[in-house]
Structure formats: structure tokens, C-alpha cells
């Protein structure tokens, strides 16, 4: 009886995973044949102790060869292959997803989104995938949060429009930074200098 229950649970879990993976692939299928894109990126910084959120307009720029840049004023979050750069005004912090496991999952998820779901995320224990209406929600909780300023990342994909809708970077204590994306232009020109 225990073996039967275990097998049943295993099969149900596998079916749920397959369904979520299928939902994810459908939600990002639009990006499969897109070599570049731009979008509006509105950033909201919420500090748990502050009375008012800080909202800044900006842009999302993506090139197929693993280049993603979210720029808001003098601040930027840039992925160039495995290299990550966070700019906060004149300050820069760099890391590499190939050697820094804390950023590897975030890198893999962004790659999976912008290559149209080709990358298999089902084997990654740091990623939980769920449906919320027509949306697909990916929650990344890095297993190692040592020295990581974010405790989790929540990525929402609009399943109807087949577009990345938002990325939310949660911090301990209730503070977060959220980027909301709109006004997509597929095939738009993206300057390589942005990723240097």
C-alpha cells in the first residue's frame, strides 16, 4: 500500500511538473524566434520603513545571445552571458553566474524565458513554477543566500500576451525592488555598448 501511494504521489508530481513546464513553454513561445527586443521597464523600490515607494521609468533591452539590460536612470541590472553587473549610480558590483551559484538560477531562468522555453528548468530545485490565472509565476529562492542582498526573485509571465510582465527582487524585512514591463518592440535595435 505504501509503495502504491508513493508511486501515485510520484506520478502526480511528475504530471504537475509537465503541465507547468508546458504552460511555461507556451507563455514564452513568442521569444523563440526573436533576436532582440526592447520594452518600458518601470521600477518600484519599496522600503519597509518608508511611507512612499520610489518609482522610476526605464527600459528593458534584450539580445538573443544572453544579453539582458534593465536600465533606470543611472542604475542598471545587466546580464551579458554569465556576467552580471549591478550599477547603483557610480557604484558597480560584478559577479559571474558560472562561478557564483547564487546567481546561476536567475541566469538560467532569464535564459529560458528569452530563448522561448528551450532550457529545461524542471531539474532546478531553486525554482518553483505555478499558474495564477493565465499567468505563469516562477519563484526563485536561492539555496545559498549568504551575502546575497535578495532573499527571493518572483518572475511573472503573462500567458495571454506571451510576455515577461514583471521581476520582483525581495529582500529580508519586507523591502523589494520590482520591475514591470510593457510596450514591447520585438526586433528593435539594441546597442551592444550597453552590455560593456
Amino acid at each position: 500500500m505504501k509503495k502504491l501511494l508513493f508511486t501515485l504521489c510520484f506520478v502526480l508530481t511528475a504530471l504537475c511538473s509537465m503541465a507547468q513546464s508546458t504552460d511555461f513553454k507556451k507563455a514564452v513561445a513568442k521569444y523563440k524566434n526573436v533576436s532582440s527586443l526592447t520594452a518600458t521597464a518601470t521600477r518600484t523600490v519599496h522600503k519597509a520603513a518608508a511611507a512612499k515607494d520610489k518609482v522610476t521609468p526605464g527600459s528593458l533591452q534584450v539580445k538573443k545571445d544572453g544579453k539582458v539590460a534593465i536600465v533606470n536612470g543611472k542604475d542598471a541590472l545587466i546580464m551579458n552571458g554569465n556576467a552580471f553587473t549591478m550599477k547603483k549610480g557610480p557604484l558597480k558590483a560584478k559577479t559571474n553566474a558560472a562561478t557564483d551559484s547564487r546567481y546561476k538560477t536567475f541566469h538560467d531562468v532569464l535564459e529560458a524565458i528569452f530563448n522561448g522555453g528551450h532550457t529545461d528548468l524542471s531539474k532546478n530545485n531553486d525554482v518553483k513554477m505555478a499558474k495564477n490565472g493565465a499567468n505563469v509565476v516562477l519563484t526563485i529562492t536561492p539555496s545559498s543566500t549568504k551575502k546575497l542582498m535578495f532573499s527571493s526573485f518572483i518572475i511573472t509571465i503573462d500567458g495571454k500576451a506571451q510576455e515577461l510582465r514583471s521581476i520582483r527582487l525581495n529582500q529580508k524585512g519586507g523591502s523589494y525592488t520590482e520591475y514591470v514591463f510593457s510596450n514591447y518592440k520585438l526586433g528593435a535595435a539594441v546597442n551592444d555598448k550597453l552590455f560593456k
Side-chain angles (χ1 to χ4, degrees):
M1 185 67 169
K2 280 185 183 177
K3 273 189 180 180
L4 180 62
L5 283 172
F6 176 78
T7 305
L8 188 59
C9 286
F10 178 78
V11 169
L12 287 173
T13 303
L15 286 172
C16 286
S17 255
M18 281 181 5
Q20 289 172 357
S21 180
T22 302
D23 289 333
F24 173 71
K25 285 180 181 177
K26 283 181 185 173
V28 296
K30 180 190 275 188
Y31 297 126
K32 196 173 279 187
N33 299 313
V34 175
S35 60
S36 64
L37 64 87
T38 61
T40 301
T42 304
R43 179 183 65 183
T44 299
V45 177
H46 172 79
K47 298 283 185 193
K52 195 173 179 185
D53 293 344
K54 185 176 179 184
V55 179
T56 313
S59 67
L60 166 69
Q61 299 188 50
V62 177
K63 284 192 87 173
K64 196 63 164 192
D65 49 352
K67 294 178 178 176
V68 179
I70 305 170
V71 181
N72 298 87
K74 294 181 180 178
D75 301 341
L77 176 61
I78 299 167
M79 181 177 97
N80 186 354
N82 284 317
F84 274 92
T85 305
M86 275 190 95
K87 293 180 184 178
K88 187 95 172 141
L91 304 175
K92 268 188 194 181
K94 293 186 175 190
T95 192
N96 191 308
T99 55
D100 189 340
S101 62
R102 298 169 303 164
Y103 286 87
K104 183 174 183 347
T105 305
F106 190 50
H107 168 270
D108 290 350
V109 169
L110 289 179
E111 276 282 294
I113 290 169
F114 292 117
N115 70 21
H118 182 67
T119 307
D120 182 12
L121 297 173
S122 65
K123 295 175 183 133
N124 195 318
N125 294 329
D126 291 353
V127 180
K128 300 292 179 238
M129 209 177 293
K131 283 275 286 179
N132 183 2
N135 295 342
V136 176
V137 180
L138 294 94
T139 302
I140 305 168
T141 308
S143 48
S144 170
T145 55
K146 188 180 178 185
K147 294 183 181 176
L148 190 63
M149 66 186 289
F150 302 109
S151 56
S152 66
F153 306 89
I154 298 173
I155 298 173
T156 303
I157 301 159
D158 183 330
K160 280 187 179 174
Q162 292 182 306
E163 292 175 348
L164 174 64
R165 188 57 57 224
S166 65
I167 299 175
R168 179 168 161 159
L169 297 81
N170 292 319
Q171 293 174 267
K172 291 173 184 172
S175 296
Y176 63 83
T177 300
E178 184 171 42
Y179 300 91
V180 176
F181 308 108
S182 59
N183 304 318
Y184 277 87
K185 292 179 182 166
L186 305 183
V190 174
N191 191 335
D192 273 327
K193 288 181 181 176
L194 187 62
F195 304 97
K196 293 182 179 174

